[in-house]
Amino acid sequence: QFLYSCYLIASSDDDRTSFQLEGMEDIDRIEYNVDGTSLLHIQLKYSTQRQDASFMKSVLKNFLEVYLLDQNRNFKLVYDFDVATGHLSKLIAGKLDAASVEHWQNVIAEIEQAAAHWDWSKYSFDDFISKLSFEKVARSDLEQHILDVLAANYQITTDNVQLFANALKFLCFETMVKR
């Protein structure tokens, strides 16, 4: 989680974008523009095991809790595991067939039943699903990506880039620990 946070922070060169670590989700990306504020809530999940649709219920629950408060927000799952063929792979690919739509509607119905006290009046399955995005990032590649971005964006010499990267990692780690 902290490696991906470092990567996002290091690769952002836009003064209108900020990040909140351990906000509503693991990372909240906040972009300020003329039209208002755009929020992207990022959840990071890493596993050595292949994952199927059952894994996604807790992630959707977290995303739905925020979506029901503000339907203008977007959500991203960043993951590094292999995905089993089935409903989860179709959701990630954005290619839901009728059976997958029914599956995810049933999953959300279970969440709704368990969280009946939430205000579901503005919920729309199609709108909510359209707010989801996915990114597969190998954990092993993140450190090198961070070094590459730091060297390219901040003209840090190769002798100092590791020191700078370690300082950035420490900053992110300390922020996450303090929540």
Side-chain angles (χ1 to χ4, degrees):
Q1 178 180 333
F2 83 93
L3 285 176
Y4 191 78
S5 299
C6 292
Y7 173 69
L8 281 181
I9 292 167
S11 61
S12 176
D13 62 355
D14 184 355
D15 291 342
R16 297 174 295 131
T17 301
S18 65
F19 300 92
Q20 182 175 348
L21 306 180
E22 296 296 341
M24 295 281 245
E25 287 296 337
D26 294 331
I27 306 167
D28 296 332
R29 181 181 182 273
I30 306 156
E31 183 178 323
Y32 305 95
N33 53 49
V34 177
D35 300 330
T37 304
S38 171
L39 288 154
L40 174 65
H41 301 285
I42 304 168
Q43 179 68 229
L44 292 105
K45 295 291 183 186
Y46 293 98
S47 176
T48 57
Q49 305 296 314
R50 179 185 207 110
Q51 297 295 324
D52 62 16
S54 63
F55 143 87
M56 195 67 185
K57 185 175 181 179
S58 65
V59 174
L60 288 178
K61 181 181 179 206
N62 291 345
F63 287 169
L64 278 163
E65 186 173 12
V66 176
Y67 171 82
L68 293 173
L69 298 173
D70 182 355
Q71 292 75 41
N72 295 313
R73 297 179 183 210
N74 294 294
F75 307 92
K76 179 186 269 189
L77 172 67
V78 176
Y79 64 98
D80 77 336
F81 47 80
D82 290 328
V83 176
T85 302
H87 299 304
L88 180 57
S89 65
K90 290 176 184 176
L91 180 65
I92 289 172
K95 297 182 178 180
L96 297 178
D97 57 20
S100 291
V101 167
E102 182 179 2
H103 171 81
W104 293 114
Q105 286 174 331
N106 290 337
V107 168
I108 292 171
E110 290 174 17
I111 294 168
E112 182 177 5
Q113 195 170 36
H117 59 283
W118 293 353
D119 180 6
W120 291 85
S121 64
K122 295 181 182 171
Y123 167 73
S124 163
F125 177 80
D126 291 333
D127 184 56
F128 175 67
I129 293 298
S130 75
K131 305 284 186 183
L132 303 179
S133 62
F134 303 89
E135 181 181 0
K136 184 174 184 179
V137 178
R139 182 181 203 165
S140 60
D141 295 338
L142 280 174
E143 286 196 26
Q144 189 58 50
H145 290 325
I146 292 168
L147 296 177
D148 293 345
V149 165
L150 290 174
N153 290 357
Y154 300 100
Q155 294 82 42
I156 298 172
T157 63
T158 55
D159 293 342
N160 296 326
V161 71
Q162 188 64 54
L163 181 63
F164 193 86
N166 288 342
L168 182 60
K169 287 184 223 174
F170 183 76
L171 171 69
C172 291
F173 181 72
E174 281 294 308
T175 301
M176 289 173 183
V177 167
K178 292 178 183 175
R179 292 192 178 241

